[in-house]
Amino acid sequence: MEFETVIGLEVHIQLLTKTKIFCACKNSFSHDKNTHVCPICLGQPGVLPVLNKEVLNKSIKGGLALNCKIANFTKFDRKHYYYPDLPKNYQISQFDLPIAENGFVEINVDGKIKKIGVTRAHMEEDAGKLVHGVKSSVVDLNRTGTPLLEIVSEPDLRSPEDARAYMMLIRQIMRYIGISDCEMQEGSLRCDANISIRPIGETKLGVKNEIKNMNSFKGVENALNLVREELLLATKEGQEIKQVTWGYSLDDQKIFKMRTKENDNDYRYFPEPDLRPIRISDEWIDEIAKTIPELPSAKCERFISEYGLSSYDANILTQEIEIANYFEATCKSCGKAKESANWVINEVLRELNEQKITINEFSVTEEMLAELIGLLSKNTINNNTAKSIFARMVKENGVSPAKIVEEEGLSQVSDTSVIEKALDDAIASNAKAVSDIESGKYATAGFFVGKIMQALKGKGDPAVIGKIIAERFNFDPSLLVKKKKDKNN
Ligand SMILES: [Zn+2]
């Protein structure tokens, strides 16, 4: 019997706000434990939470970007459970009237587009953290009251690869709209998964297993693969599938059993009496909708149609909105799309990677890169010179490429008499190469190109040099061009 896998994800993202969801404590990470706390987030009796409006606005923005219907009436509820990192013994969350419902996103797995339903997105407060030591554990409540948006998918994912692609897409969209940095190491994007298997053709869902608290793409895919193997094995051996909750350790890449459940948890939800329900007008929603930028998939398609980029290049350039904007500004400034794409992908991204910095911290501005590409496309400089100028631009903040060219006399030599002279010298002292090329070994032309470049201190115009060599030895210059193209591809 063949089985299909059914997966749904609950993704928690930390919202980027200055303060926490219900108090004025700073919403930022701190290594000093229990420093960003006050009576409200410590859950002391008699205090009253007040909703941070930024949390509401950012949640609406998130819901809209996930194609959800935003509620005109929403409220908070208490979700009751006991855990040492939860001083109130309940979490303020949303139950039956979430801020956003009925949305979808489209994932791309191996070129196939799949529509994944988003059941709901709701606001809630984060709990604190237990930090385990050798002899004792410490409760750190800095994270308590951090605003979260929990995004719940429909069970539309059919493989661990789908789940990974979905989680990556959620991260990309949330970063595009700027409501979360989704930094996985700091835990600002976390995910719980549920997974079941069923015979192909069956429409009823199988008994689901859960995997808790994963914070890496690789981890999600890996853990789901391991639990799927467990489910398939149990089915093969004729065992009844139990409702198990699993943990996953990224360090040794293993799953471990946390508990086996008989029934779903009953959290005894009831409406939060300390917070008023919220009415949201359509005008309010429309105002927020206007602040949503072009989203990744639309941008990627536009880069392909407007700039003639390959889908591969367009996909790389649209991973992060800042990179996409940098490319587009460069391209608009120099008018060369393909060249701009190549420079950003091959040189700029490499530099960012090596220096471990973001594009906002990068010393070469879009205008400067455009100027460099302009010099190259006007044949003022050759490709090698452009690369060495770029290296200087990276090191020296704000230095103009045109100025470097002028100051250091780096302009390309296309003066035919100078090139002819350098070729004469090369011919005079390299009899073997001359006889080779005359006997039809045109690859030897490369040797002469090298000699001439050397004489011109690397500043020769390769196209002119090639033409002059071809004329001198009487062969078709396209032989050289073709060779060069093959090498590039
Ligand atoms: Zn507080």
Side-chain angles (χ1 to χ4, degrees):
M1 196 185 286
E2 286 232 45
F3 289 88
E4 76 169 345
T5 311
V6 179
I7 297 168
L9 291 191
E10 291 171 12
V11 177
H12 292 87
I13 63 159
Q14 259 178 28
L15 296 173
L16 276 175
T17 54
K18 285 199 188 77
T19 56
K20 292 184 178 180
I21 183 168
F22 299 123
C23 64
C25 291
K26 265 195 218 149
N27 175 26
S28 63
F29 182 80
S30 168
H31 286 288
D32 296 326
K33 294 176 187 70
N34 298 312
T35 47
H36 297 175
V37 290
C38 72
I40 296 174
C41 51
L42 289 176
Q44 292 180 7
V47 295
L48 284 177
V50 177
L51 177 63
N52 177 349
K53 195 172 174 188
E54 262 313 286
V55 172
L56 186 57
N57 285 336
K58 291 206 155 86
S59 300
I60 294 173
K61 196 170 179 179
L64 288 170
L66 299 170
N67 302 299
C68 286
K69 167 89 182 81
I70 303 300
N72 292 111
F73 184 79
T74 187
K75 69 170 170 71
F76 286 96
D77 300 273
R78 288 188 181 180
K79 176 181 180 180
H80 296 85
Y81 66 96
Y82 173 79
Y83 204 70
D85 66 5
L86 187 75
K88 295 199 295 279
N89 289 341
Y90 63 83
Q91 178 191 24
I92 304 180
S93 180
Q94 296 199 281
F95 183 51
D96 53 339
L97 294 172
I99 182 75
E101 277 182 298
N102 293 326
F104 69 90
V105 291
E106 286 179 325
I107 57 169
N108 183 336
V109 179
D110 300 330
K112 265 173 91 184
I113 307 286
K114 292 184 190 173
K115 192 169 170 174
I116 308 299
V118 172
T119 317
R120 57 186 274 156
H122 65 255
M123 301 175 276
E124 64 183 25
E125 58 178 347
D126 206 347
K129 227 171 20 187
L130 285 183
V131 187
H132 300 291
V134 182
K135 284 189 174 165
S136 62
S137 295
V138 182
V139 187
D140 179 9
L141 296 174
N142 278 342
R143 204 177 67 180
T144 312
T146 294
L148 299 179
L149 188 67
E150 177 174 334
I151 301 162
V152 182
S153 85
E154 288 288 304
D156 289 342
L157 301 157
R158 287 291 170 272
S159 67
E161 297 76 38
D162 281 5
R164 179 187 180 136
Y166 170 83
M167 194 172 163
M168 288 174 90
L169 179 64
I170 295 290
R171 178 175 191 267
Q172 192 187 22
I173 293 173
M174 296 303 137
R175 286 171 64 92
Y176 253 69
I177 62 174
I179 69 168
S180 174
D181 60 18
C182 294
E183 288 296 350
M184 330 263 297
Q185 295 95 332
E186 286 161 24
S188 55
L189 175 72
R190 309 194 295 270
C191 161
D192 300 336
N194 57 65
I195 174 170
S196 59
I197 55 167
R198 64 185 174 193
I200 287 179
E202 172 64 64
T203 50
K204 231 175 69 191
L205 289 172
V207 175
K208 71 178 179 193
N209 274 215
E210 282 178 84
I211 314 168
K212 286 284 182 198
N213 227 352
M214 294 167 285
N215 64 351
S216 86
F217 300 128
K218 200 179 144 210
V220 167
E221 186 176 346
N222 203 7
L224 282 165
N225 268 319
L226 293 170
V227 175
R228 178 167 67 177
E229 278 168 29
E230 293 280 336
L231 296 177
L232 287 170
L233 187 70
T235 309
K236 203 173 144 199
E237 289 173 351
Q239 298 167 21
E240 184 197 352
I241 291 186
K242 292 211 175 70
Q243 201 178 327
V244 180
T245 302
W246 302 85
Y248 176 73
S249 153
L250 193 60
D251 291 338
D252 50 12
Q253 303 186 17
K254 281 186 181 139
I255 48 171
F256 54 91
K257 256 184 210 179
M258 290 167 74
R259 56 186 173 263
T260 306
K261 285 200 243 179
E262 296 296 322
N263 304 303
D264 272 337
N265 291 332
D266 185 352
Y267 293 110
R268 307 274 160 169
Y269 280 98
F270 68 71
E272 168 58 60
D274 289 340
L275 286 162
R276 283 201 269 185
I278 308 150
R279 283 187 196 284
I280 303 165
S281 67
D282 288 337
E283 293 74 36
W284 184 351
I285 298 168
D286 289 345
E287 278 306 306
I288 292 175
K290 281 184 207 148
T291 67
I292 294 183
E294 182 180 35
L295 293 177
S297 61
K299 201 179 273 296
C300 186
E301 272 168 39
R302 184 171 62 78
F303 278 12
I304 295 168
S305 62
E306 192 174 326
Y307 297 116
L309 301 184
S310 67
S311 64
Y312 180 81
D313 286 356
N315 187 37
I316 295 177
L317 290 170
T318 51
Q319 284 303 309
E320 299 275 349
I321 193 167
E322 291 84 3
I323 300 290
N325 290 344
Y326 184 95
F327 156 74
E328 207 162 14
T330 305
C331 180
K332 288 212 165 114
S333 178
C334 69
K336 300 275 171 192
K338 183 66 192 154
E339 288 80 353
S340 299
N342 284 343
W343 274 87
V344 173
I345 292 170
N346 298 325
E347 306 300 326
V348 176
L349 292 181
R350 181 179 51 76
E351 278 295 334
L352 299 183
N353 241 336
E354 275 174 17
Q355 296 186 41
K356 296 191 169 51
I357 54 170
T358 66
I359 193 86
N360 300 328
E361 299 163 306
F362 191 46
S363 55
V364 179
T365 63
E366 301 91 321
E367 292 76 23
M368 284 157 59
L369 181 62
E371 192 178 305
L372 182 68
I373 296 170
L375 291 168
L376 189 58
S377 56
K378 274 185 275 172
N379 280 323
T380 308
I381 51 173
N382 66 29
N383 209 24
N384 286 337
T385 310
K387 291 214 169 130
S388 64
I389 292 177
F390 179 77
R392 261 194 69 180
M393 289 160 70
V394 170
K395 277 202 205 105
E396 296 166 37
N397 235 331
V399 62
S400 144
K403 214 168 151 214
I404 299 178
V405 171
E406 198 192 304
E407 275 174 12
E408 305 203 351
L410 295 175
S411 288
Q412 181 155 257
V413 178
S414 1
D415 183 338
T416 49
S417 64
V418 176
I419 295 172
E420 296 270 6
K421 166 79 177 55
L423 179 58
D424 288 341
D425 294 348
I427 288 174
S429 51
N430 295 285
K432 168 84 168 66
V434 173
S435 71
D436 281 352
I437 200 166
E438 280 175 348
S439 66
K441 290 182 185 162
Y442 299 125
T444 318
F447 170 81
F448 287 105
V449 173
K451 284 285 166 195
I452 294 169
M453 275 293 189
Q454 210 177 358
L456 302 178
K457 299 194 171 65
K459 293 179 292 182
D461 180 337
V464 179
I465 294 174
K467 203 166 144 252
I468 286 173
I469 295 171
E471 273 166 13
R472 182 72 66 90
F473 295 106
N474 209 10
F475 64 89
D476 184 353
S478 67
L479 286 171
L480 285 174
V481 178
K482 191 169 173 292
K483 189 173 156 253
K484 198 176 155 213
K485 262 194 186 154
D486 289 346
K487 209 173 146 196
N488 281 350
N489 283 341

